[in-house]
Amino acid sequence: MKRSLQVIEQKTELSVWAPRLLRIGDWLVSILDTEDGTPSRRFAEMLARGGATLLEQNGDANPDLRIVIRGAKASAEARRRAEVLEEAADLILGAARPAFARLFASACARWVND
């Protein structure tokens, strides 16, 4: 018996792997994760509660700071992707923590105001 293949829309795939962009004072911050996009979305929301401004995704953006949130890497492809992301990162987090998000957002705001 033949079954038809399910087509996965590429636009959905890209949105999972696209970085979350935020403005914290004068800094443009990019956040990615090595999982399905959920940790970076949560961390971006935490930073927004701390005073950051969420921006639209922009492939041409040149962020001042690149943050990658590590996750469990189940497949070889996921490990390779994580290695590439972490190599380009300025900051690698083991998890998205609300306390760190508050401190980070307030520290960035102080740098701008000083």
Side-chain angles (χ1 to χ4, degrees):
M1 176 165 30
K2 291 184 179 181
R3 294 186 305 171
S4 60
L5 294 174
Q6 184 180 17
V7 177
I8 299 174
E9 188 177 331
Q10 284 188 350
K11 185 176 180 181
T12 303
E13 280 288 315
L14 291 175
S15 66
V16 168
W17 307 121
R20 308 279 180 211
L21 293 175
L22 295 103
R23 172 88 41 206
I24 304 175
D26 291 336
W27 289 48
L28 180 60
V29 178
S30 165
I31 303 170
L32 272 171
D33 65 79
T34 61
E35 292 183 12
D36 64 355
T38 302
S40 58
R41 180 183 48 79
R42 280 189 203 138
F43 191 64
E45 290 169 358
M46 290 177 209
L47 287 172
R49 278 182 250 141
T53 304
L54 289 168
L55 304 174
E56 294 293 319
Q57 293 178 353
N58 180 354
D60 297 329
N62 188 19
D64 300 305
L65 182 67
R66 290 174 177 84
I67 299 173
V68 172
I69 302 169
R70 278 190 179 146
K73 300 167 223 35
S75 68
E77 181 182 332
R79 284 191 296 275
R80 284 192 300 275
R81 180 178 182 279
E83 288 172 7
V84 170
L85 290 176
E86 290 177 7
E87 191 173 300
D90 297 306
L91 178 63
I92 300 170
L93 301 176
R97 305 271 187 220
F100 179 77
R102 282 191 305 275
L103 291 172
F104 182 73
S106 67
C108 288
R110 277 197 302 271
W111 293 332
V112 170
N113 294 330
D114 286 347

